[in-house]
Amino acid sequence: MFDIVGHMKYEVVIGLEIHARINTLTKLFCRCDNNTFNQDPNTHVCGICMGFPGMLPVLNREAVQKGIKAGLALGCTIKEFSKFDRKNYFYPDLPKGYQISQYDQPISENGKITITKTDGTVKAIGITRLHLEDDAGKLTHTGDGTLVDFNRSGSPLMEIVSEPDMRTVEEASLYARQIQKIVRYINASDADMEKGQMRFDLNISLRPEGQKEFGIRAEIKNLNSFRSLEKAAEYEINRQTELLDRGEKVIQETRGWDDVKEVTISQRSF
Ligand code: ADP
Ligand code: MG
Ligand code: ZN
């Protein structure tokens, strides 16, 4: 299948992972103030959210309630049993050495939302799951060294994982905007992208038109605006098209987005 200029025609497949900060009064496992925007560094911290030894996390009821509300608003089934799991990382902004997330028993799963495209057609996008997890601190690199601020550490996030149901950049963008509207409407998240309250991981692959199996995907992490989501998707479609046209393979990897150069960059491939 080739188009008039001789390119193989590909279908785009997109799935999004969206992180939204839950707008609770306190953090996910401690009583520190969760509203830390523009506060002095390390002024909203305690032994729990800084991962000191011997500290016992206590789950925030409001975070669970808002997570459940969001799950329901996304048409998900709320699980009667749900648990947290450790995800190990070794970073200076994560002193406890692991993120508290949910792996095999998330609070909610199997939802869907609809988007309305500019031509008026309505399309359903499946939601695989919505789970809760805590955020890490923030590193600032300076000429003299790296500064770390733990105000954000332990802040509650909901991660909303979509099915790979989107087929165009427009659909991905509409889906992301619809999620923002929904979590705002139910007051589960302020989802203000300029304040870092919502960010996207874009999973994107191409497959020859007519092929059933999905192609190999790249994951572009931490997109912090609708514009960068759209630009990164467009860039990846071109990059992957060129690779496939040359008979090369897309490798499954994590890539970052350079907002200035407007390119994606390989970060790791495991
Ligand atoms: P991981 O745990 O490695 O992030 P998941 O299987 O949970 O992987 O998928 C993460 C996201 O990637 C989901 O939103 C899913 O819809 C999407 N996805 C999975 N496979 C593909 C693919 N081949 N092309 C595009 N998106 C995909
Ligand atoms: Mg992922
Ligand atoms: Zn704390």
Side-chain angles (χ1 to χ4, degrees):
M1 253 178 300
F2 293 84
D3 66 17
I4 358 164
V5 272
H7 289 100
M8 168 100 60
K9 278 197 186 162
Y10 304 110
E11 183 180 43
V12 177
V13 173
I14 297 176
L16 289 181
E17 293 160 277
I18 301 186
H19 286 91
R21 185 172 314 283
I22 307 177
N23 58 6
T24 50
L25 289 174
T26 57
K27 294 186 184 179
L28 188 52
F29 295 107
C30 64
R31 305 190 65 161
C32 289
D33 193 341
N34 185 37
N35 192 359
T36 59
F37 187 71
N38 273 348
Q39 302 293 303
D40 287 339
N42 301 307
T43 52
H44 294 66
V45 293
C46 71
I48 294 175
C49 59
M50 291 186 72
F52 286 10
M55 293 288 127
L56 194 65
V58 177
L59 182 57
N60 178 345
R61 178 186 299 268
E62 190 192 12
V64 177
Q65 285 169 339
K66 291 196 168 194
I68 289 175
K69 220 168 151 187
L72 290 171
L74 302 178
C76 290
T77 307
I78 308 303
K79 305 288 287 291
E80 282 186 24
F81 179 85
S82 163
K83 71 173 173 66
F84 286 93
D85 300 275
R86 289 181 176 199
K87 205 169 170 187
N88 296 314
Y89 292 97
F90 187 74
Y91 288 125
D93 58 5
L94 192 71
K96 65 185 186 310
Y98 55 88
Q99 178 189 36
I100 305 179
S101 183
Q102 300 195 286
Y103 178 57
D104 55 345
Q105 303 270 10
I107 57 165
S108 63
E109 57 188 21
N110 288 329
K112 72 165 197 282
I113 66 167
T114 56
I115 54 172
T116 307
K117 302 210 264 180
T118 39
D119 66 4
T121 47
V122 174
K123 177 171 174 171
I125 310 290
I127 309 284
T128 314
R129 56 192 273 151
L130 178 151
H131 69 252
L132 303 178
E133 58 188 33
D134 66 359
D135 205 352
K138 186 179 154 194
L139 296 177
T140 307
H141 304 287
T142 73
D144 291 334
T146 298
L147 303 170
V148 59
D149 174 11
F150 293 110
N151 280 351
R152 206 176 64 183
S153 174
S155 183
L157 302 174
M158 48 193 171
E159 175 168 347
I160 301 162
V161 182
S162 86
E163 289 291 300
D165 285 348
M166 290 154 273
R167 295 289 174 268
T168 61
V169 178
E170 185 204 8
E171 289 180 9
S173 178
L174 286 171
Y175 167 81
R177 288 166 202 270
Q178 189 65 17
I179 292 286
Q180 184 191 46
K181 264 192 211 162
I182 292 171
V183 298
R184 279 181 169 170
Y185 184 79
I186 60 167
N187 193 29
S189 173
D190 299 343
D192 187 338
M193 306 215 55
E194 262 144 45
K195 292 184 182 168
Q197 293 167 345
M198 190 164 90
R199 41 188 201 259
F200 313 122
D201 296 341
L202 164 71
N203 294 272
I204 182 163
S205 63
L206 303 185
R207 63 179 167 189
E209 236 164 62
Q211 179 182 304
K212 268 212 166 140
E213 310 85 65
F214 289 143
I216 307 283
R217 73 184 141 121
E219 178 173 16
I220 298 72
K221 286 266 189 205
N222 275 323
L223 298 163
N224 58 13
S225 67
F226 294 112
R227 187 190 139 82
S228 54
L229 171 67
E230 291 156 10
K231 287 275 167 193
E234 281 163 15
Y235 181 87
E236 272 301 304
I237 292 168
N238 288 332
R239 186 184 71 87
Q240 294 184 20
T241 300
E242 282 172 17
L243 278 176
L244 296 173
D245 277 351
R246 285 201 301 266
E248 292 172 36
K249 281 192 175 132
V250 174
I251 52 170
Q252 181 155 348
E253 61 178 352
T254 302
R255 299 177 72 87
W257 172 245
D258 184 326
D259 240 331
V260 179
K261 294 189 190 139
E262 301 197 329
V263 296
T264 65
I265 306 142
S266 178
Q267 290 180 328
R268 60 181 155 92
S269 54
F270 58 84

